């Protein structure tokens, strides 16, 4: 690491601009970086390349490149109606979860941010305490509640509503300070003009808080898209989501390694695209959650 | 399963600063009639969220606690009251106590391995090197993938004889166990931990990096003018300054490790010979496969209590310092 500890140029306006990244990279730093990239992407590339090979190729040498490149595994997945059914289920459940959690979350966070009332802090504590209840603790009764009492077993809503409920505490905890930080002059002006509080919420507060809503929405969407435990208990057959489909495919066709790798790789793509498109939002949301 | 990050640290710190800010932004007080109206508005705003939490969080947690006091196979009413017998059975069941031990091994291993590793990578990435943005994106990729999807790929790589890892390790002369890494009881938990580290290291790096970038430039410059080396600056200035972020990461990691389910279920299903069970896999197999709902309820309550006690203890022992320092 000593390679980077070079004396820096004299302090100047230019240097003051950015010097958090103190120290440049020497060859060792680049070597470590390269190693990290290889270890991080290795498994992902193994999956993607493995999907272009045959099982014979994989058995002969697991570490080789496809030779020849075969597209039939990927064609098989894309031509598999099951795959599209799972993708549809995942999408619909993630969308319902996101809409419910964002709407209910911002509605709850608004009075907690803007109103003065005696029970405000205790009410906020209810959401804070909610953070301490992981879904795993309630999972068995939740299964009974959704399937028997509510009759929502094996439905989109049956998974989306509990997911939204468990995502609410984080959402409210992130949104409240965000709403507090919004300028409130517009709202006050509207109030003087006689607009009702509910109208102000819809017409002024909600549009202003869009960036915050997108952040919590993306986090909720990704969490739902990747969720496994609750769908595992509640969904069967044609209602399964992609993670369930991937897991079941890999046990059912365990001999067809190339097919499993192709299926898994395609299932990765939506989350990766969403991440690359929304990277800023996801990162700032996570950092916001930690900094408070 | 929610990712560990969803448990935001404000959970333990409702934020006195936030409250102070709110006071300054107070909306003009209202008259008596306005007050009743305001109460109605608040009720309308908060009702959907509270209703959702009551039905899908509070009620199931309450029924888990109630279930734990009965012998119940999932049919008919709760009549066979057994007091604390389910707890006795859970706590004397070797499979469950081993599961608790496994959870704690993961908790401590995460902090002992991922913290230094994450910190080292964050310090590395905080240097002015080419392709830093790209590097940061790449490191974060595993975190975005579903645990199930990452698990299935690793499961294939770890297959005995046909897996990629065996080939690579074999070619550099490292012996591979006969049953593969996941099939050997002594190695299975360590293997699961390696995969978890691959999956979650990116989050640690990302959070630490954000903290490092918040360290004021002047401090670095002043230290440099005084002749401090790069490492001295990191050790004496940068790392202490991001200590609150580190502590918060430890908290999130701890909560996530205690709830571990998806990765274990995919990689080993808790096996071989219960070598990788966690509290969550135990209660799922008792509840949904064994039909022992009372036992599952007792295990849920124990899981919750362990998490709760650790969260409160951590809040008092460690995170509290941050709040004090703020004040």
């Amino acid at each position: 690491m000593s390679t980077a500890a070079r004396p820096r140029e004299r302090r100047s306006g230019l240097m003051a601009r950015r010097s958090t990244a103190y120290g440049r990279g020497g060859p060792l730093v680049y070597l470590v970086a390269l190693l990290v990239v290889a270890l991080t992407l290795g498994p992902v590339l193994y999956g993607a390349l493995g999907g272009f090979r045959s099982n014979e190729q994989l058995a002969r040498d697991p570490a080789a490149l496809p030779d020849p490149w075969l597209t039939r595994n990927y064609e098989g997945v894309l031509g598999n109606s099951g795959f599209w059914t799972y993708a549809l289920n995942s999408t619909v459940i993630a969308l319902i979860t996101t809409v419910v959690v964002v709407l209910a979350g911002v509605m709850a966070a608004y009075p907690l941010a803007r109103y003065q009332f005696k029970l405000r802090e205790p009410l906020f504590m209810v959401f804070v305490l909610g953070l301490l209840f992981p879904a795993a603790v309630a999972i068995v009764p939740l299964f009974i509640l959704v399937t028997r009492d509510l009759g929502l077993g094996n439905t989109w809503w049956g998974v989306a509503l509990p997911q939204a409920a468990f995502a609410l505490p984080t959402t409210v905890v992130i949104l409240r300070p965000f709403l507090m930080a919004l300028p409130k002059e517009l709202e006050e002006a509207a109030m003087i003009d006689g607009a009702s509080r509910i109208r102000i919420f819809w017409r002024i507060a909600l549009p202003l808080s869009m960036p915050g809503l997108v952040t919590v929405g993306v986090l909720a969407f990704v969490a739902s898209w990747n969720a496994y435990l609750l769908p595992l208990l509640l969904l069967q057959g044609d209602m399964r989501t992609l993670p369930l489909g991937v897991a079941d495919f890999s046990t059912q066709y365990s001999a067809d390694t190339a097919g499993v790798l192709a299926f898994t790789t395609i299932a990765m793509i939506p989350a990766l695209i969403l991440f690359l498109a929304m990277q800023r939002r996801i990162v700032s949301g996570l950092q916001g959650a930690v900094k408070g | 399963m929610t990712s560990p990050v969803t448990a935001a640290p404000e959970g333990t710190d409702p934020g006195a600063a936030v409250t102070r800010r709110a006071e300054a932004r107070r909306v003009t007080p209202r008259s008596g009639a306005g007050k009743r109206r305001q109460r109605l508005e608040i009720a309308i705003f908060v009702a959907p969220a509270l209703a959702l939490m009551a039905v899908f969080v509070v009620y199931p947690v309450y029924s888990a606690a109630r279930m734990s006091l009965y012998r119940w196979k999932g049919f008919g009413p709760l009549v066979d009251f057994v007091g604390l017998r389910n707890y006795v059975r859970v706590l004397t069941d070797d499979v469950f106590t081993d599961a608790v031990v496994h959870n704690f091994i993961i908790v401590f291993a995460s902090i002992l391995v991922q913290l230094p590793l994450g910190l080292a990578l964050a310090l590395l990435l905080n240097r002015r090197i080419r392709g830093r943005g790209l590097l940061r994106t790449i490191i974060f990729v595993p975190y975005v993938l579903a645990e199930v999807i990452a698990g299935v790929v690793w499961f294939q790589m770890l297959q005995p004889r046909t897996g990629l890892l065996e080939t690579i390790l074999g070619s550099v002369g490292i012996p591979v166990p006969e049953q593969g890494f996941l099939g050997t009881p002594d190695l299975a938990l360590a293997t699961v931990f390696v995969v978890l580290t691959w999956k979650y290291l990116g989050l640690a790096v990302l959070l630490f990096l954000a903290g490092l970038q918040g360290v004021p430039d002047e401090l670095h410059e002043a230290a440099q003018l005084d002749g401090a080396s790069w490492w001295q600056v990191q050790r004496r200035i940068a790392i202490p300054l991001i200590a609150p972020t580190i502590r918060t990461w430890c908290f999130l990691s701890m909560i996530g490790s205690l709830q571990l389910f998806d990765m274990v279920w995919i990689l080993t299903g808790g096996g071989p010979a219960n070598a990788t069970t966690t509290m969550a896999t135990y209660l799922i197999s008792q509840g949904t496969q064994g039909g022992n709902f009372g036992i599952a309820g007792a295990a849920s309550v124990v899981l919750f209590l362990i998490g709760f006690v650790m969260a409160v203890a951590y809040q008092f022992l460690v995170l509290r310092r941050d709040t004090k320092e703020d004040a």
Side-chain angles (χ1 to χ4, degrees):
Chain A
M1 295 267 170
S2 58
T3 42
R6 286 177 200 156
R8 245 172 358 129
E9 301 93 308
R10 291 218 63 88
R11 186 175 172 176
S12 67
L14 192 75
M15 286 312 298
R17 190 164 47 90
R18 41 161 298 182
S19 49
T20 1
Y22 170 171
R24 284 166 208 276
L28 187 65
V29 173
Y30 283 103
L31 199 69
V32 174
L34 212 62
L35 189 70
V36 169
V37 169
L39 287 176
T40 307
L41 289 187
V44 179
L45 286 178
Y46 168 73
L49 293 175
F52 284 109
R53 308 177 72 196
S54 67
N55 287 315
E56 295 78 40
Q57 289 184 34
L58 280 165
R60 215 181 311 130
D61 182 1
L65 283 172
D67 178 35
W69 289 67
L70 303 169
T71 52
R72 62 162 186 250
N73 297 313
Y74 287 108
E75 283 162 15
V77 175
L78 294 175
N80 180 344
S81 65
F83 170 80
W84 295 104
T85 312
Y86 306 148
L88 174 74
N89 291 332
S90 277
T91 311
V92 175
I93 290 173
L95 283 177
I96 298 177
T97 306
T98 307
V99 170
V100 170
V101 80
V102 168
L103 206 60
V106 72
M107 281 175 71
Y110 183 70
L112 291 172
R114 280 289 196 260
Y115 283 68
Q116 286 296 320
F117 56 103
K118 220 187 282 171
L119 287 177
R120 192 176 77 165
E121 293 313 309
L123 195 58
F124 183 58
M125 273 312 285
V126 170
F127 292 101
V128 169
L129 280 178
L131 290 172
L132 291 176
F133 291 91
V137 166
I139 199 75
V140 174
L142 206 49
F143 165 73
I144 297 171
L145 171 77
V146 171
T147 50
R148 294 196 199 154
D149 303 343
L150 301 177
L152 289 175
N154 218 18
T155 62
W156 290 331
W157 286 90
V159 175
L161 289 178
Q163 277 183 1
F166 278 93
L168 261 175
T170 334
T171 307
V172 171
V173 164
I174 295 181
L175 279 181
R176 186 197 190 201
F178 185 88
L179 289 175
M180 281 175 164
L182 291 179
K184 67 181 195 334
E185 286 71 21
L186 269 176
E187 288 170 60
E188 281 173 346
M191 211 179 304
I192 291 166
D193 290 347
S196 77
R197 217 43 204 272
I198 303 216
R199 205 179 143 83
I200 292 173
F201 171 75
W202 280 108
R203 292 296 172 83
I204 298 173
L206 214 54
L208 277 179
S209 52
M210 257 319 156
L213 300 188
V214 172
T215 299
V216 290
V218 169
L219 290 177
F221 190 94
V222 172
S224 165
W225 185 271
N226 289 344
Y228 180 57
L229 181 52
L230 199 59
L232 176 69
L233 294 191
L234 292 175
L235 303 175
Q236 300 95 33
D238 277 349
M239 292 306 294
R240 283 175 294 174
T241 56
L242 265 182
L244 291 180
V246 168
D248 291 349
F249 191 91
S250 81
T251 38
Q252 208 176 334
Y253 301 98
S254 54
D256 180 13
T257 311
V260 170
L261 292 176
F263 197 120
T264 314
T265 304
I266 293 191
M268 283 180 194
I269 293 174
L272 285 180
I273 291 178
L274 190 71
F275 165 59
L276 291 176
M278 293 290 188
Q279 196 181 358
R280 285 250 162 85
R281 295 259 175 237
I282 296 178
V283 168
S284 72
L286 292 174
Q287 289 169 354
V290 167
K291 277 186 196 156
Chain B
M1 189 83 195
T2 48
S3 62
V5 165
T6 49
E10 288 94 329
T12 53
D13 173 23
V18 166
T19 321
R20 281 198 302 276
R21 229 181 301 151
E23 235 77 72
R25 290 185 173 277
R26 177 196 315 242
V27 175
T28 32
R30 291 145 166 262
S31 59
K35 218 164 196 178
R36 202 173 321 129
R37 202 195 139 123
Q38 174 179 320
R39 238 176 264 153
L40 183 69
E41 287 169 5
I42 294 171
I44 292 174
F45 277 126
V46 181
L50 286 185
L52 269 175
M53 298 241 316
V55 173
F56 293 107
V57 181
V58 178
Y59 174 73
V61 169
Y62 159 78
S63 6
R66 206 164 81 99
M67 224 161 64
S68 72
L69 302 175
Y70 290 83
R71 207 173 78 89
W72 193 51
K73 287 286 184 183
F75 302 100
L78 290 179
V79 281
D80 194 358
F81 184 81
V82 295
L84 295 178
R85 214 176 303 159
N86 286 327
Y87 288 90
V88 174
R89 271 193 57 188
V90 164
L91 294 174
T92 53
D93 183 349
D94 286 345
V95 178
F96 185 77
T97 47
D98 284 354
V100 176
V101 171
H102 298 154
N103 276 113
F104 276 93
I105 290 176
I106 300 283
V107 167
F108 290 110
S110 300
I111 290 174
L112 290 177
V113 174
Q114 292 172 9
L115 174 59
L117 214 56
L119 207 50
L121 286 177
L123 291 174
L124 176 93
L125 285 178
N126 198 33
R127 287 156 169 248
R128 220 172 305 138
I129 59 174
R130 262 171 227 272
R132 195 161 57 138
L134 185 65
L135 208 53
R136 206 178 330 173
T137 303
I138 288 173
I139 281 188
F140 199 57
V141 161
Y143 180 76
V144 194
L145 300 178
E147 255 185 56
V148 172
I149 287 180
V152 167
V153 173
W154 275 93
F155 181 79
Q156 295 296 343
M157 296 201 321
L158 288 163
Q159 282 302 300
R161 283 174 297 280
T162 56
L164 174 70
L165 238 70
E166 191 149 317
T167 315
I168 292 177
L169 294 179
S171 69
V172 291
I174 299 173
V176 180
E178 181 79 3
Q179 301 300 314
F181 288 97
L182 292 172
T184 310
D186 290 343
L187 294 174
L189 190 65
T191 310
V192 170
F193 175 71
V194 169
V195 179
L196 285 171
T197 303
W198 176 81
K199 173 96 173 63
Y200 287 104
L201 194 61
L203 179 69
V205 173
L206 180 94
L207 296 177
F208 297 159
L209 202 53
L212 286 174
Q213 284 166 354
V215 174
D217 297 349
E218 292 74 18
L219 289 177
H220 282 292
E221 286 164 12
Q224 262 182 299
L225 288 178
D226 290 344
S229 75
W230 179 85
W231 173 239
Q232 279 174 321
V233 175
Q234 305 309 318
R235 205 171 79 95
R236 303 273 178 205
I237 299 177
I239 294 176
L241 276 174
I242 64 161
T245 308
I246 294 175
R247 287 196 278 266
T248 303
W249 174 83
C250 288
F251 179 79
L252 294 178
S253 161
M254 185 180 88
I255 297 287
S257 303
L258 286 176
Q259 297 168 13
L260 181 61
F261 175 82
D262 295 10
M263 190 62 90
V264 171
W265 203 248
I266 293 293
L267 287 179
T268 66
N274 291 321
T276 56
T277 42
T278 65
M279 288 185 274
T281 66
Y282 178 87
L283 76 89
I284 293 297
S285 42
Q286 286 291 337
T288 61
Q289 292 169 359
N292 300 318
F293 289 92
I295 303 276
S300 306
V301 172
V302 174
L303 165 58
F304 169 71
L305 285 178
I306 291 179
F308 184 79
V309 167
M310 287 188 62
V312 171
Y314 196 79
Q315 156 78 8
F316 271 93
L317 296 175
V318 183
L319 288 178
R320 206 175 172 193
R321 283 169 46 187
D322 298 340
T323 338
K324 257 193 218 154
E325 281 158 15
D326 280 352

